[in-house]
Every structure is written in structure tokens, then in C-alpha cells.
Amino acid sequence: MQDTHLAALPPDLQMLYAAAVVARQNSYSPYSHFAVGAAVRTAAGRIYGGCNVENASYGLCCCGERNAIFAAVCAGERDLDAICVVADTQQPVSPCGACRQVMSEFKIGKILLGNLKGDIKICSLEELLPYGFDL
Ligand code: THU
């Protein structure tokens, strides 16, 4: 796990971060008031955004990371190489267990966790989900 800052990222990862911040603007989070944005990048360099979408029936809420990954998959993409997730947190936001498992399904190698101040942690799947489930 590497702690860094937006300004120190290479331009391609700065773009991925920017896409996550933009996706976050569409967060529908009237219950938690905790807006999350995510952006996933394909091996070919295409970027798909997602935000958290909540529901009055709380269990139906879906996280930003999963919505970004599902948007990519629904567009026919399966070769996903990086994801960035952003929230307005003191430290870089930590993805929930369900999202870690979904990242694992698509073997997303590079995972960027960020906040709006531009603090970034870069981690691997193995760091986020050691001994994860696989069939
Ligand atoms: N949330 C995410 O979007 N991603 C995470 O990894 C953690 C939690 C959302 C779900 C819910 O809409 C809100 O944050 C509060 O839990």
C-alpha cells in the first residue's frame, strides 16, 4: 500500500481520479449524505464512472465502486485494470467488503483510494482482500 498525493500521480491516474470526482457529483445519497464516486479503467484506456445510489429500503443501496464496475461490464468491458474511489473523508476512503469482492471478480490490479483533498492510497487487490473467495 503506497500513500501518495494527486499531484504526484502520473497523468493517466490523475484522469482516473478526476473521473471519479465527476461521477461523485451524481451520487444519490439522501439517507447517509455520504457521496461516493468511482471510475474504472479498461485495459484499452476507456473510463466508466459510477456513484452510490441509495434507496428508502436501505438494503437496496449500491456503492459507487460496484456501479462503476457494473457500468463497464454492461458496456461489454471485462478487461478492467484500475479503479479509483473518492469520498469526502479525512483519510482516503476504504471500500466495503462487497465491493472488494466485485473488484476481485474482475481482477482489478490497481486500486486507488482517495479523498477530496487529493490524498491517495494505491493498493493491490491482495492487500484489500487477502485470501478472497474464488470458484
Ligand atoms: N458506500 C460506497 O459507495 N462505497 C463504499 O465502499 C462504502 C459505502 C456508500 C453506500 C452508502 O450509499 C453510503 O456509502 C453509506 O454507507
Side-chain angles (χ1 to χ4, degrees), residues 49 67 100 104:
N67 279 332
R100 293 176 193 215
S104 162

Side-chain angles (χ1 to χ4, degrees), residues 32 34 36 52 54 63-65 94-96:
S32 72
F34 186 72
V36 179
N52 56 330
E54 300 189 343
C63 296
E65 300 92 308
S94 177
C96 80

Side-chain angles (χ1 to χ4, degrees), residues 23 28 31 35-36 47 54 63-64 76 79 87 92 102-103 106 127:
Y28 177 73
Y31 304 104
V36 179
I47 290 177
E54 300 189 343
C63 296
D79 196 357
V102 172
M103 291 174 196
F106 294 98
E127 286 169 322

Side-chain angles (χ1 to χ4, degrees), residues 7-123:
L9 292 179
D12 62 313
L13 294 181
Q14 289 192 3
M15 265 181 57
L16 192 63
Y17 172 90
V21 171
V22 168
R24 182 177 172 275
Q25 289 169 0
N26 287 332
S27 166
Y28 177 73
S29 41
Y31 304 104
S32 72
H33 303 287
F34 186 72
V36 179
V40 66
R41 187 182 69 191
T42 70
R46 285 182 287 273
I47 290 177
Y48 295 83
C51 59
N52 56 330
V53 180
E54 300 189 343
N55 193 281
S57 176
Y58 292 174
L60 302 182
C61 296
C62 192
C63 296
E65 300 92 308
R66 269 177 289 155
N67 279 332
I69 293 168
F70 295 161
V73 174
C74 286
E77 309 274 10
R78 294 184 181 178
D79 196 357
L80 311 179
D81 76 353
I83 187 167
C84 177
V85 50
V86 173
D88 189 9
T89 44
Q90 196 57 36
Q91 305 296 326
V93 64
S94 177
C96 80
C99 290
R100 293 176 193 215
Q101 180 65 29
V102 172
M103 291 174 196
S104 162
E105 181 70 24
F106 294 98
K107 301 185 170 44
I108 301 180
K110 185 172 283 220
I111 302 165
L112 274 70
L113 314 178
N115 62 17
L116 294 185
K117 297 182 290 181
D119 303 317
I120 307 276
K121 278 184 193 294
I122 303 181
C123 19

